[in-house]
Amino acid sequence: MADYDIVIIGGSPAGRYAAAIAAKQNATVALVEREQGAIQNSKFKIQNSKFSDSRTGGFLNPPLPTPDSLSYIGQLARQWEKMGNFGLRSTHEKAIDDCQVSIQWERVMQWAQNVQSNLAEENSPTVLAALGVDFILGQGKFVAQPNLSFVVNNRGLAARKYLIATNPRPIVPDIEGLAVTGYLTATEVLSSLTSPNPPKRWAILGGDPNGCQLAQALARLGLDVTLIVQRPHILPREDLEIAQLLQAILEAEGVRVLTNTTVTQVKGIEGKKWVQADREAMEFDEIVLCAGQQPELEQLNLAAVGVKTQRDRLRLNQKLQTTNSRIYACGDAIGGYQFAHIANYEAKIALQNALQNTLFSAQFQVDYRNIPWLVCTDPPLARVGFTAAQARRKYDNDVLVLQHYFKTLAIAQIQDEMTGICQLVVRRNGTILGGAIIGSQAGELINVIALAIAQKLKIDSIADLVSVYPSWGEILAQTASEYLSTPLGQKNWLQNLLAKIGCRV
């Protein structure tokens, strides 16, 4: 006899989100977390923040936070720079401004902590308990005998199904001396910045989204930043042209980017951290690891209950079911880029399958093709679907790449934010395969492309889109119109017109 419909293992945001969703569906739920406050979500971005003036250091309007980013301090630095708080000044002016910046920084950090607390409250233990979730603290593991259960605090939790939603841990490169010398993870950087003597020279190892966001943010605070990447370019999942544009943006803001560079040794000498990268030895105050994250699964005793892994990751089918049919997984426990909206999507799919009552119910499968993601640099990078390289590998020559630059937009010139590119990947018949956007409001614009892919719209539907003038949305129609200028586009346009008036083609 099962005690619960589902037991959720892990205190990740996706785990708490899943617990709330399951409870609202009248399921009996237990949520097991290793320790109180296991959720660590210090990732925020402040967009469009405005300050009253430098005399008070207050806000005209509250900044708008978005989760899943470490770059909000970069946005603040940009605002301060516009106000003249950074740059060339006299010693007296600099001392006054530094004092003002210090006051502002303290106010902003307090505000950020308040926002973090408010967001965490949405799925806090108190809220979950009110929904009927049994909140259990402790480290547990699966056992197979006498029946499958999850044992925590010497108590066996029997359930119809189980969902693994554990927090990840940073990938620690095998570098001589790194563990002895010490390093920070991305979520520990803010604490270091608010210390009495914050580090001035930073080495960031790894070009994942967190590494890029963090490099820009630290550089905007006037710190010396070197981003060291072993691969040929940053953001290895993106097309080379898109990654190179973002790299150029980082370098223009003072970030030193070293690609194709391998760190072979780290050594602490007289309070400094020396990094040997290929043939160059560099001195830093602090090292941050941004080489990706991996699921933390070792303590769960998965092999004993028939759950198989491959390359330290769970083997899952499209239903997010492990090789034990009663155990599912979602979010950071799966691996890959860590994005909250994708983790929540996976939690929904896993729950829909796990909580079904009959064998003949509909089966739900993950489909990532129309789910966008965002790298919160400034300007941001957003993508959905296939990259150009992925599309060519699958469809060979049946692929067109349409591009248009933000500098042609009136709104970009008005707001002096002309850096950016919109790239749409389509088949020759007009089917939209994917899109990538670097530029202002990329996170909003990519949603239109995601919707078009999900609804199987052709590229001419985007070309026909009439946007408000002036607006950032114009970039979509302008990019799509590149297709209509090709012989293929003109042929398809004529076919569509004839079809609309009832002629056979």
Side-chain angles (χ1 to χ4, degrees):
M1 184 68 179
D3 301 319
Y4 300 97
D5 291 320
I6 190 163
V7 170
I8 300 170
I9 298 115
S12 66
R16 292 192 177 184
Y17 173 81
I21 294 297
K24 290 174 183 177
Q25 295 179 10
N26 297 319
T28 53
V29 186
L31 174 62
V32 180
E33 290 193 6
R34 185 164 57 184
E35 58 185 5
Q36 185 74 40
I39 282 187
Q40 295 296 331
N41 189 8
S42 60
K43 304 176 181 181
F44 300 100
K45 178 183 179 183
I46 289 178
Q47 297 176 320
N48 304 321
S49 55
K50 299 180 180 180
F51 301 90
S52 58
D53 57 48
S54 58
R55 292 172 297 176
T56 62
F59 296 115
L60 269 175
N61 298 309
L64 303 176
T66 60
D68 214 43
S69 170
L70 285 165
S71 66
Y72 74 91
I73 50 178
Q75 296 288 340
L76 291 171
R78 185 181 186 191
Q79 295 293 338
W80 288 336
E81 185 177 15
K82 288 181 177 179
M83 289 162 49
N85 286 329
F86 293 111
L88 297 175
R89 294 156 295 169
S90 69
T91 303
H92 177 66
E93 290 173 330
K94 185 176 185 302
I96 295 175
D97 287 345
D98 286 347
C99 179
Q100 293 169 345
V101 168
S102 176
I103 294 172
Q104 288 177 324
W105 181 249
E106 290 179 7
R107 291 169 63 90
V108 169
M109 288 305 299
Q110 182 60 54
W111 172 85
Q113 291 169 3
N114 292 340
V115 171
Q116 179 178 341
S117 176
N118 291 339
L119 292 179
E121 185 63 26
E122 292 180 9
N123 288 321
S124 68
T126 302
V127 172
L128 293 177
L131 292 173
V133 175
D134 283 353
F135 195 86
I136 302 170
L137 292 177
Q139 175 68 53
K141 65 178 182 179
F142 285 102
V143 297
Q145 300 296 332
N147 298 302
L148 176 65
S149 66
F150 191 79
V151 177
V152 57
N153 301 332
N154 296 319
R155 175 191 171 190
L157 305 178
R160 290 177 48 239
K161 300 293 174 58
Y162 299 85
L163 177 63
I164 300 173
T166 52
N167 278 305
R169 69 170 184 269
I171 294 175
V172 181
D174 185 16
I175 299 173
E176 180 184 345
L178 179 62
V180 176
T181 305
Y183 56 84
L184 297 178
T185 63
T187 54
E188 295 170 333
V189 169
L190 295 182
S191 297
S192 180
L193 285 173
T194 55
S195 63
N197 296 302
K200 299 296 189 295
R201 302 191 65 193
W202 293 74
I204 299 176
L205 307 187
D208 70 359
N210 275 345
C212 296
Q213 294 167 177
L214 189 57
Q216 184 182 54
L218 294 176
R220 286 184 169 185
L221 289 174
L223 303 174
D224 187 296
V225 183
T226 300
L227 182 62
I228 305 174
V229 183
Q230 191 170 7
R231 295 177 180 269
H233 60 82
I234 62 175
L235 299 177
R237 297 191 183 190
E238 310 306 321
D239 276 325
L240 179 60
E241 183 177 3
I242 297 297
Q244 285 181 333
L245 176 56
L246 183 58
Q247 179 174 329
I249 291 169
L250 296 179
E251 290 176 331
E253 295 197 20
V255 178
R256 185 187 184 196
V257 181
L258 302 178
T259 56
N260 277 320
T261 302
T262 301
V263 176
T264 56
Q265 187 180 31
V266 175
K267 185 179 295 186
I269 301 176
E270 296 181 352
K272 300 295 182 180
K273 299 181 179 183
W274 285 84
V275 173
Q276 184 69 42
D278 291 340
R279 296 183 179 181
E280 184 177 1
M282 295 171 284
E283 176 191 303
F284 299 100
D285 297 320
E286 193 53 84
I287 297 172
V288 186
L289 298 187
C290 289
Q293 295 180 308
Q294 63 187 24
E296 190 159 19
L297 306 169
E298 290 79 4
Q299 308 299 322
L300 300 182
N301 198 32
L302 295 175
V305 292
V307 175
K308 296 181 180 180
T309 60
Q310 186 174 12
R311 297 180 181 176
D312 298 323
R313 294 190 178 183
L314 294 168
R315 286 178 55 183
L316 302 170
N317 58 24
Q318 293 299 104
K319 296 183 292 183
L320 299 181
Q321 192 176 41
T322 69
T323 48
N324 184 318
S325 61
R326 292 172 59 191
I327 302 175
Y328 294 76
C330 69
D332 294 331
I334 293 177
Y337 280 174
Q338 280 71 43
F339 294 106
H341 65 291
I342 295 179
N344 290 348
Y345 165 75
E346 292 166 344
K348 284 184 177 180
I349 295 293
L351 286 174
Q352 285 172 323
N353 291 317
L355 296 178
Q356 290 180 111
N357 294 319
T358 71
L359 293 175
F360 303 102
S361 300
Q363 298 294 300
F364 300 90
Q365 298 186 351
V366 288
D367 184 354
Y368 299 104
R369 289 175 296 179
N370 58 357
I371 299 180
W373 65 53
L374 181 71
V375 180
C376 293
T377 49
D378 184 20
L381 184 161
R383 181 163 73 82
V384 65
F386 285 93
T387 65
Q390 290 170 339
R392 290 189 178 110
R393 282 196 295 269
K394 183 168 184 176
Y395 297 104
D396 199 20
N397 292 326
D398 188 25
V399 173
L400 295 175
V401 179
L402 313 174
Q403 293 188 164
H404 210 78
Y405 292 93
F406 272 59
K407 62 184 179 182
T408 64
L409 297 180
I411 191 69
Q413 298 185 39
I414 292 169
Q415 297 191 12
D416 192 24
E417 296 184 13
M418 292 182 286
T419 300
I421 184 173
C422 178
Q423 181 187 88
L424 299 179
V425 182
V426 301
R427 297 185 67 178
R428 291 179 177 271
N429 65 2
T431 299
I432 305 172
L433 299 175
I437 304 173
I438 294 182
S440 183
Q441 305 302 314
E444 300 297 331
L445 296 171
I446 203 67
N447 292 326
V448 177
I449 305 303
L451 180 62
I453 295 174
Q455 297 299 316
K456 296 181 172 55
L457 301 180
K458 293 295 184 72
I459 191 65
D460 56 288
S461 297
I462 303 298
D464 290 340
L465 182 66
V466 179
S467 299
V468 171
Y469 177 88
S471 71
W472 298 102
E474 293 179 85
I475 192 68
L476 299 177
Q478 290 183 10
T479 307
S481 295
E482 299 289 331
Y483 177 80
L484 300 181
S485 65
T486 67
L488 286 169
Q490 293 170 359
K491 178 181 178 182
N492 284 354
W493 177 83
L494 180 59
Q495 290 175 336
N496 292 336
L497 177 61
L498 293 174
K500 287 178 181 178
I501 62 177
C503 298
R504 306 183 76 179
V505 293

